[in-house]
Coordinates of all heavy atoms in Angstrom, one line a residue:
M1 N -35.0 -49.0 31.9 CA -36.4 -49.3 31.9 C -36.7 -50.8 31.9 O -36.0 -51.5 31.2 CB -37.1 -48.6 30.7 CG -38.5 -49.0 30.6 SD -39.5 -48.3 29.3 CE -39.5 -46.6 29.8
I2 N -37.7 -51.2 32.6 CA -38.1 -52.6 32.7 C -39.1 -52.8 31.6 O -40.1 -52.0 31.5 CB -38.6 -52.9 34.0 CG1 -37.5 -52.8 35.1 CG2 -39.2 -54.3 34.1 CD1 -38.0 -52.9 36.5
I3 N -39.0 -53.9 30.8 CA -39.9 -54.2 29.8 C -40.5 -55.6 30.0 O -39.7 -56.6 30.1 CB -39.3 -54.1 28.4 CG1 -38.7 -52.7 28.1 CG2 -40.3 -54.5 27.3 CD1 -37.9 -52.6 26.9
L4 N -41.8 -55.7 30.2 CA -42.5 -56.9 30.4 C -43.3 -57.2 29.1 O -44.1 -56.4 28.7 CB -43.5 -56.8 31.6 CG -44.4 -57.9 31.8 CD1 -43.7 -59.2 32.1 CD2 -45.4 -57.6 32.9
K5 N -43.1 -58.4 28.6 CA -43.8 -58.9 27.4 C -44.4 -60.2 27.7 O -43.8 -61.0 28.4 CB -42.9 -59.0 26.2 CG -42.2 -57.7 25.8 CD -41.3 -57.9 24.6 CE -40.6 -56.6 24.3 NZ -39.7 -56.7 23.1
Y6 N -45.6 -60.5 27.2 CA -46.2 -61.8 27.4 C -47.2 -62.0 26.2 O -47.6 -61.1 25.5 CB -47.0 -61.8 28.7 CG -47.9 -60.6 28.9 CD1 -49.1 -60.5 28.4 CD2 -47.4 -59.6 29.7 CE1 -50.0 -59.4 28.6 CE2 -48.3 -58.5 29.9 CZ -49.5 -58.4 29.4 OH -50.3 -57.3 29.6
P7 N -47.4 -63.3 26.0 CA -48.3 -63.7 24.8 C -49.8 -63.4 25.0 O -50.5 -63.2 24.1 CB -48.0 -65.2 24.7 CG -47.6 -65.7 26.0 CD -46.9 -64.5 26.6
K8 N -50.2 -63.5 26.3 CA -51.7 -63.3 26.6 C -51.8 -62.8 28.0 O -51.2 -63.2 28.9 CB -52.3 -64.7 26.5 CG -53.8 -64.7 26.7 CD -54.3 -66.2 26.5 CE -55.7 -66.3 27.1 NZ -56.2 -67.6 27.2
K9 N -52.8 -61.8 28.1 CA -53.0 -61.2 29.4 C -53.7 -62.3 30.3 O -54.7 -62.9 29.9 CB -54.0 -60.0 29.2 CG -54.2 -59.2 30.5 CD -55.1 -58.0 30.1 CE -55.3 -57.2 31.4 NZ -56.1 -56.0 31.0
T10 N -53.2 -62.4 31.5 CA -53.7 -63.4 32.5 C -53.8 -62.7 33.8 O -53.3 -61.6 34.0 CB -52.8 -64.6 32.6 OG1 -51.6 -64.2 33.1 CG2 -52.7 -65.3 31.3
A11 N -54.3 -63.4 34.8 CA -54.3 -62.8 36.2 C -52.9 -62.6 36.7 O -52.6 -61.6 37.3 CB -55.1 -63.7 37.1
L12 N -52.0 -63.5 36.3 CA -50.6 -63.4 36.7 C -49.9 -62.2 36.0 O -49.2 -61.4 36.7 CB -49.8 -64.7 36.4 CG -48.4 -64.7 36.9 CD1 -48.3 -64.4 38.4 CD2 -47.8 -66.1 36.6
T13 N -50.1 -62.0 34.8 CA -49.5 -60.9 34.1 C -50.0 -59.6 34.6 O -49.3 -58.6 34.7 CB -49.7 -60.9 32.5 OG1 -51.1 -60.8 32.2 CG2 -49.1 -62.2 31.9
E14 N -51.3 -59.5 35.0 CA -51.9 -58.4 35.6 C -51.3 -58.1 37.0 O -51.1 -56.9 37.3 CB -53.4 -58.5 35.6 CG -54.2 -57.3 35.7 CD -53.9 -56.2 34.7 OE1 -53.4 -56.4 33.6 OE2 -54.2 -55.0 35.1
T15 N -51.0 -59.1 37.7 CA -50.4 -59.0 39.0 C -49.0 -58.3 38.9 O -48.6 -57.4 39.6 CB -50.3 -60.3 39.7 OG1 -51.6 -60.8 40.0 CG2 -49.6 -60.2 41.1
W16 N -48.2 -58.8 37.9 CA -46.9 -58.3 37.6 C -47.0 -56.8 37.3 O -46.3 -56.0 37.8 CB -46.2 -59.0 36.5 CG -45.9 -60.4 36.7 CD1 -45.6 -61.0 37.9 CD2 -45.8 -61.5 35.7 NE1 -45.4 -62.4 37.7 CE2 -45.5 -62.7 36.4 CE3 -46.0 -61.5 34.4 CZ2 -45.3 -63.9 35.7 CZ3 -45.8 -62.7 33.7 CH2 -45.5 -63.8 34.4
R17 N -47.9 -56.4 36.4 CA -48.1 -55.0 36.0 C -48.4 -54.2 37.1 O -47.9 -53.1 37.3 CB -49.2 -54.9 34.9 CG -49.2 -53.5 34.3 CD -50.5 -53.3 33.5 NE -51.7 -53.5 34.3 CZ -52.2 -52.6 35.3 NH1 -51.5 -51.5 35.5 NH2 -53.3 -52.9 36.0
E18 N -49.4 -54.6 37.9 CA -49.8 -53.9 39.1 C -48.7 -53.7 40.1 O -48.5 -52.6 40.7 CB -51.0 -54.5 39.8 CG -52.3 -54.5 39.0 CD -53.4 -55.4 39.6 OE1 -53.1 -56.0 40.6 OE2 -54.5 -55.4 39.0
K19 N -47.9 -54.7 40.3 CA -46.7 -54.6 41.2 C -45.7 -53.6 40.7 O -45.2 -52.8 41.4 CB -46.1 -56.0 41.4 CG -45.0 -56.0 42.5 CD -45.4 -55.4 43.8 CE -46.4 -56.3 44.5 NZ -46.7 -55.7 45.9
L20 N -45.4 -53.6 39.4 CA -44.5 -52.7 38.8 C -45.0 -51.3 39.0 O -44.2 -50.3 39.3 CB -44.2 -53.0 37.3 CG -43.5 -54.3 37.1 CD1 -43.5 -54.6 35.6 CD2 -42.0 -54.2 37.6
E21 N -46.3 -51.1 38.7 CA -46.9 -49.8 38.9 C -46.8 -49.3 40.4 O -46.5 -48.1 40.6 CB -48.3 -49.8 38.4 CG -49.0 -48.5 38.3 CD -50.4 -48.6 37.7 OE1 -50.4 -48.7 36.4 OE2 -51.4 -48.6 38.4
E22 N -47.1 -50.2 41.3 CA -47.0 -49.9 42.7 C -45.6 -49.5 43.1 O -45.4 -48.6 44.0 CB -47.5 -51.1 43.5 CG -47.3 -51.0 45.0 CD -47.6 -52.3 45.7 OE1 -48.7 -53.0 45.3 OE2 -46.8 -52.8 46.5
L23 N -44.6 -50.1 42.6 CA -43.2 -49.8 42.9 C -42.7 -48.5 42.3 O -41.6 -48.0 42.6 CB -42.3 -51.0 42.5 CG -42.6 -52.3 43.3 CD1 -41.8 -53.4 42.7 CD2 -42.3 -52.1 44.8
A24 N -43.5 -47.9 41.4 CA -43.2 -46.6 40.7 C -41.8 -46.7 40.0 O -41.0 -45.8 40.2 CB -43.3 -45.5 41.8
V25 N -41.6 -47.7 39.3 CA -40.4 -47.8 38.5 C -40.8 -47.6 37.0 O -41.9 -47.8 36.7 CB -39.7 -49.2 38.7 CG1 -39.2 -49.4 40.1 CG2 -40.6 -50.4 38.3
G26 N -39.8 -47.3 36.2 CA -40.1 -47.1 34.8 C -40.2 -48.5 34.2 O -39.4 -49.3 34.3
F27 N -41.4 -48.7 33.6 CA -41.6 -49.9 32.9 C -42.6 -49.8 31.7 O -43.3 -48.8 31.6 CB -42.2 -51.0 33.9 CG -43.7 -50.7 34.3 CD1 -44.7 -51.3 33.7 CD2 -43.9 -49.8 35.4 CE1 -46.0 -51.0 34.1 CE2 -45.2 -49.5 35.8 CZ -46.3 -50.1 35.1
K28 N -42.6 -50.8 30.9 CA -43.4 -50.9 29.7 C -44.0 -52.3 29.7 O -43.2 -53.2 29.9 CB -42.6 -50.6 28.5 CG -43.3 -50.6 27.2 CD -42.3 -50.2 26.1 CE -42.9 -50.4 24.7 NZ -41.9 -50.0 23.7
V29 N -45.2 -52.4 29.3 CA -45.9 -53.7 29.2 C -46.4 -53.9 27.8 O -47.0 -53.0 27.2 CB -47.0 -53.9 30.2 CG1 -47.7 -55.2 30.1 CG2 -46.5 -53.7 31.6
E30 N -46.1 -55.1 27.2 CA -46.5 -55.4 25.8 C -47.2 -56.7 25.8 O -46.6 -57.7 26.2 CB -45.4 -55.3 24.9 CG -44.7 -54.0 24.8 CD -43.5 -54.0 23.8 OE1 -43.3 -55.1 23.1 OE2 -42.7 -53.1 23.8
E31 N -48.4 -56.8 25.3 CA -49.0 -58.1 25.0 C -48.7 -58.4 23.5 O -49.0 -57.6 22.6 CB -50.5 -58.1 25.2 CG -51.2 -59.4 25.0 CD -52.6 -59.4 25.4 OE1 -53.1 -58.5 26.1 OE2 -53.3 -60.3 24.9
D32 N -48.0 -59.5 23.2 CA -47.6 -59.9 21.9 C -47.7 -61.4 21.7 O -47.0 -62.1 22.3 CB -46.2 -59.4 21.7 CG -45.7 -59.5 20.2 OD1 -46.3 -60.3 19.5 OD2 -44.8 -58.7 19.9
T33 N -48.6 -61.8 20.8 CA -48.8 -63.2 20.6 C -47.7 -64.0 20.0 O -47.7 -65.2 20.0 CB -50.1 -63.5 19.8 OG1 -49.9 -62.8 18.5 CG2 -51.3 -63.0 20.5
K34 N -46.7 -63.3 19.5 CA -45.5 -64.0 19.0 C -44.6 -64.6 20.1 O -43.8 -65.5 19.8 CB -44.7 -63.1 18.0 CG -43.9 -62.1 18.7 CD -43.1 -61.2 17.7 CE -42.3 -60.2 18.4 NZ -41.6 -59.3 17.5
F35 N -44.8 -64.2 21.3 CA -44.0 -64.7 22.4 C -44.7 -66.0 22.9 O -45.9 -66.0 23.1 CB -43.9 -63.7 23.5 CG -43.0 -62.6 23.2 CD1 -43.4 -61.4 22.7 CD2 -41.6 -62.7 23.3 CE1 -42.6 -60.4 22.4 CE2 -40.7 -61.7 23.0 CZ -41.2 -60.5 22.5
E36 N -44.0 -67.0 23.2 CA -44.5 -68.2 23.8 C -44.6 -68.2 25.3 O -45.4 -68.8 25.9 CB -43.7 -69.4 23.4 CG -43.8 -69.7 21.9 CD -43.0 -71.0 21.5 OE1 -42.7 -71.8 22.3 OE2 -42.6 -71.0 20.3
K37 N -43.7 -67.4 25.9 CA -43.6 -67.3 27.3 C -43.4 -65.8 27.7 O -43.0 -65.0 26.9 CB -42.3 -68.0 27.9 CG -42.3 -69.5 27.6 CD -41.1 -70.1 28.2 CE -41.1 -71.6 28.0 NZ -39.9 -72.2 28.6
A38 N -43.8 -65.5 28.9 CA -43.6 -64.2 29.4 C -42.1 -63.9 29.5 O -41.3 -64.8 29.8 CB -44.2 -64.0 30.8
I39 N -41.7 -62.7 29.3 CA -40.3 -62.3 29.5 C -40.2 -60.9 30.1 O -41.0 -60.0 29.7 CB -39.6 -62.3 28.1 CG1 -38.1 -61.9 28.2 CG2 -40.3 -61.5 27.1 CD1 -37.3 -62.2 27.0
I40 N -39.3 -60.7 31.0 CA -39.1 -59.3 31.6 C -37.6 -59.0 31.4 O -36.8 -59.9 31.5 CB -39.6 -59.2 33.0 CG1 -39.7 -57.8 33.4 CG2 -38.7 -60.0 33.9 CD1 -40.5 -57.6 34.7
S41 N -37.4 -57.8 30.9 CA -36.0 -57.4 30.6 C -35.6 -56.1 31.4 O -36.5 -55.2 31.5 CB -35.9 -57.1 29.1 OG -36.3 -58.2 28.3
E42 N -34.4 -56.1 31.8 CA -33.9 -54.9 32.4 C -32.4 -54.9 32.1 O -31.6 -55.8 32.3 CB -34.1 -55.0 33.9 CG -33.5 -53.7 34.6 CD -33.6 -53.8 36.1 OE1 -33.2 -54.8 36.7 OE2 -33.9 -52.7 36.7
K43 N -31.9 -53.7 31.6 CA -30.5 -53.5 31.3 C -29.9 -54.6 30.5 O -28.8 -55.0 30.7 CB -29.7 -53.3 32.6 CG -30.2 -52.1 33.5 CD -29.4 -52.0 34.7 CE -29.9 -50.9 35.6 NZ -29.3 -50.8 36.9
G44 N -30.7 -55.0 29.5 CA -30.1 -56.0 28.6 C -30.2 -57.4 29.1 O -29.8 -58.4 28.4
K45 N -30.7 -57.7 30.2 CA -30.8 -59.0 30.8 C -32.3 -59.5 30.7 O -33.1 -58.7 31.1 CB -30.3 -59.1 32.2 CG -30.2 -60.5 32.7 CD -29.3 -60.6 34.0 CE -29.2 -62.0 34.4 NZ -28.5 -62.2 35.6
D46 N -32.5 -60.7 30.2 CA -33.8 -61.2 30.1 C -34.1 -62.3 31.1 O -33.2 -63.1 31.4 CB -34.0 -61.8 28.7 CG -33.9 -60.8 27.6 OD1 -34.2 -59.6 27.8 OD2 -33.5 -61.2 26.5
F47 N -35.3 -62.3 31.6 CA -35.8 -63.3 32.6 C -37.0 -63.9 31.9 O -38.0 -63.2 31.7 CB -36.1 -62.7 33.9 CG -35.0 -62.0 34.5 CD1 -34.7 -60.7 34.3 CD2 -34.1 -62.7 35.4 CE1 -33.6 -60.1 34.8 CE2 -33.0 -62.1 36.0 CZ -32.8 -60.7 35.7
I48 N -37.0 -65.2 31.5 CA -38.0 -65.8 30.7 C -38.8 -66.9 31.4 O -38.2 -67.7 32.1 CB -37.3 -66.5 29.5 CG1 -36.5 -65.4 28.7 CG2 -38.3 -67.1 28.6 CD1 -35.6 -65.9 27.6
G49 N -40.1 -66.8 31.3 CA -41.0 -67.8 31.9 C -41.6 -67.2 33.2 O -41.1 -66.3 33.8
D50 N -42.8 -67.8 33.5 CA -43.6 -67.3 34.6 C -42.8 -67.2 35.9 O -42.8 -66.2 36.7 CB -44.8 -68.1 34.8 CG -45.9 -67.9 33.7 OD1 -45.6 -67.0 32.9 OD2 -46.9 -68.6 33.8
A51 N -42.0 -68.3 36.2 CA -41.3 -68.4 37.5 C -40.2 -67.3 37.5 O -40.0 -66.6 38.5 CB -40.7 -69.8 37.7
A52 N -39.5 -67.2 36.4 CA -38.4 -66.2 36.4 C -38.9 -64.8 36.5 O -38.3 -63.9 37.2 CB -37.6 -66.4 35.1
V53 N -40.0 -64.5 35.8 CA -40.6 -63.1 35.9 C -41.1 -62.9 37.3 O -40.8 -61.8 37.9 CB -41.7 -62.9 34.8 CG1 -42.4 -61.6 35.0 CG2 -41.2 -63.0 33.4
S54 N -41.8 -63.8 37.9 CA -42.2 -63.7 39.3 C -41.1 -63.4 40.2 O -41.1 -62.5 41.1 CB -43.1 -64.9 39.7 OG -44.3 -64.9 39.0
D55 N -40.0 -64.2 40.1 CA -38.8 -64.0 40.9 C -38.2 -62.6 40.8 O -37.8 -62.0 41.7 CB -37.8 -65.1 40.6 CG -38.2 -66.5 41.1 OD1 -39.1 -66.6 41.9 OD2 -37.5 -67.5 40.6
F56 N -38.2 -62.2 39.5 CA -37.6 -60.8 39.2 C -38.5 -59.8 40.0 O -37.9 -58.9 40.6 CB -37.6 -60.6 37.7 CG -37.2 -59.2 37.4 CD1 -35.8 -58.9 37.3 CD2 -38.1 -58.1 37.3 CE1 -35.4 -57.6 37.0 CE2 -37.7 -56.8 37.0 CZ -36.4 -56.6 36.9
V57 N -39.8 -59.9 39.8 CA -40.7 -58.9 40.4 C -40.5 -58.9 42.0 O -40.5 -57.9 42.6 CB -42.1 -59.1 40.0 CG1 -43.1 -58.1 40.7 CG2 -42.2 -58.8 38.5
I58 N -40.4 -60.1 42.5 CA -40.3 -60.2 44.0 C -39.0 -59.6 44.4 O -38.9 -58.8 45.4 CB -40.3 -61.7 44.4 CG1 -41.8 -62.2 44.3 CG2 -39.8 -61.9 45.9 CD1 -41.9 -63.7 44.4
E59 N -37.9 -59.9 43.7 CA -36.6 -59.3 44.1 C -36.6 -57.8 43.9 O -36.0 -57.1 44.7 CB -35.5 -60.0 43.3 CG -35.2 -61.4 43.7 CD -34.8 -61.5 45.1 OE1 -34.0 -60.8 45.7 OE2 -35.4 -62.4 45.8
L60 N -37.2 -57.3 42.9 CA -37.3 -55.9 42.7 C -38.1 -55.2 43.8 O -37.7 -54.2 44.3 CB -38.0 -55.6 41.3 CG -38.2 -54.1 41.0 CD1 -36.9 -53.4 40.8 CD2 -39.1 -54.0 39.7
E61 N -39.2 -55.8 44.2 CA -39.9 -55.3 45.3 C -39.1 -55.2 46.6 O -39.1 -54.2 47.3 CB -41.2 -56.2 45.6 CG -42.0 -55.7 46.7 CD -43.3 -56.5 46.9 OE1 -43.3 -57.7 46.6 OE2 -44.3 -55.9 47.4
K62 N -38.3 -56.3 46.9 CA -37.4 -56.3 48.1 C -36.4 -55.2 48.0 O -36.1 -54.5 48.9 CB -36.7 -57.6 48.2 CG -37.6 -58.8 48.6 CD -36.7 -60.1 48.7 CE -37.6 -61.3 49.0 NZ -36.8 -62.5 48.9
F63 N -35.8 -55.0 46.8 CA -34.8 -53.9 46.6 C -35.4 -52.6 46.8 O -34.8 -51.7 47.5 CB -34.2 -54.1 45.1 CG -33.3 -52.9 44.8 CD1 -32.0 -52.9 45.3 CD2 -33.8 -51.8 44.0 CE1 -31.2 -51.8 44.9 CE2 -33.0 -50.8 43.7 CZ -31.6 -50.8 44.2
V64 N -36.6 -52.3 46.2 CA -37.2 -51.0 46.3 C -37.6 -50.7 47.8 O -37.3 -49.6 48.3 CB -38.4 -50.9 45.4 CG1 -39.2 -49.6 45.7 CG2 -38.0 -50.9 43.9
H65 N -38.1 -51.7 48.5 CA -38.5 -51.5 49.9 C -37.2 -51.2 50.7 O -37.3 -50.4 51.6 CB -39.3 -52.7 50.4 CG -40.7 -52.7 49.9 ND1 -41.6 -51.7 50.1 CD2 -41.4 -53.6 49.1 CE1 -42.8 -51.9 49.5 NE2 -42.6 -53.1 48.9
A66 N -36.2 -52.0 50.5 CA -34.9 -51.7 51.2 C -34.4 -50.4 50.9 O -33.9 -49.7 51.8 CB -33.9 -52.8 50.9
W67 N -34.5 -49.9 49.7 CA -34.0 -48.6 49.3 C -34.8 -47.5 50.0 O -34.2 -46.5 50.4 CB -34.0 -48.5 47.8 CG -33.5 -47.2 47.3 CD1 -32.2 -46.8 47.2 CD2 -34.2 -46.1 46.7 NE1 -32.1 -45.6 46.7 CE2 -33.3 -45.1 46.4 CE3 -35.6 -45.9 46.5 CZ2 -33.7 -43.9 45.8 CZ3 -36.0 -44.7 46.0 CH2 -35.1 -43.7 45.6
R68 N -36.1 -47.7 50.1 CA -36.9 -46.7 50.7 C -36.9 -46.8 52.3 O -37.5 -45.9 52.9 CB -38.4 -46.9 50.2 CG -38.5 -46.6 48.8 CD -39.9 -46.8 48.3 NE -40.1 -46.4 46.9 CZ -41.1 -46.8 46.2 NH1 -42.0 -47.6 46.7 NH2 -41.1 -46.5 44.9
D69 N -36.3 -47.8 52.8 CA -36.3 -48.0 54.3 C -35.6 -46.8 54.9 O -34.6 -46.4 54.5 CB -35.5 -49.3 54.6 CG -35.6 -49.7 56.1 OD1 -35.6 -48.8 56.9 OD2 -35.6 -50.9 56.3
P70 N -36.2 -46.3 56.0 CA -35.7 -45.1 56.7 C -34.2 -45.3 57.1 O -33.5 -44.4 57.2 CB -36.6 -44.9 57.9 CG -37.8 -45.6 57.6 CD -37.5 -46.7 56.6
K71 N -33.8 -46.5 57.4 CA -32.4 -46.8 57.8 C -31.4 -46.6 56.8 O -30.2 -46.6 57.0 CB -32.3 -48.2 58.4 CG -33.1 -48.4 59.7 CD -33.0 -49.9 60.1 CE -34.1 -50.7 59.4 NZ -34.2 -52.0 59.8
C72 N -31.8 -46.5 55.5 CA -30.8 -46.3 54.4 C -30.4 -44.9 54.3 O -29.5 -44.6 53.5 CB -31.4 -46.8 53.1 SG -32.6 -45.7 52.3
G73 N -30.9 -44.0 55.0 CA -30.4 -42.6 55.0 C -31.1 -41.7 54.0 O -30.7 -40.6 53.8
V74 N -32.2 -42.2 53.4 CA -32.9 -41.4 52.4 C -33.9 -40.5 53.1 O -34.6 -40.9 54.0 CB -33.6 -42.3 51.4 CG1 -34.4 -41.5 50.4 CG2 -32.6 -43.1 50.6

């Protein structure tokens, strides 16, 4: 499961949430003021900061689209 945590809801955090929802992956979103930066975690690996979270979401989107591509045999 992917876990997204951030200190404050923003347009960017909302974009990440919407993208995760669109990709239909298991995820959880938490707003928590004790965090200074956004963090997204998957399988024990953390990606910290806006750029890292955005990069993770972009790569996840590429992976999911490639997996769903008709050429993959699914």
Side-chain angles (χ1 to χ4, degrees):
M1 173 178 292
I2 295 169
I3 301 171
L4 170 62
K5 298 178 183 180
Y6 49 81
K8 181 179 163 187
K9 187 176 180 178
T10 65
L12 185 56
T13 62
E14 202 49 25
T15 298
W16 296 331
R17 186 197 58 76
E18 289 171 0
K19 185 55 68 178
L20 292 172
E21 191 172 279
E22 175 187 312
L23 295 171
V25 295
F27 71 95
K28 180 178 174 182
V29 177
E30 298 177 10
E31 184 175 342
D32 190 335
T33 57
K34 74 179 179 183
F35 289 96
E36 292 181 24
K37 297 180 179 182
I39 180 171
I40 197 163
S41 304
E42 181 188 40
K43 297 179 184 174
K45 188 166 184 183
D46 297 332
F47 302 86
I48 302 168
D50 290 353
V53 172
S54 291
D55 289 345
F56 175 88
V57 173
I58 289 167
E59 289 303 313
L60 178 64
E61 181 177 29
K62 288 178 186 176
F63 173 80
V64 169
H65 286 297
W67 182 74
R68 291 179 180 163
D69 189 326
K71 294 178 273 185
C72 77
V74 176

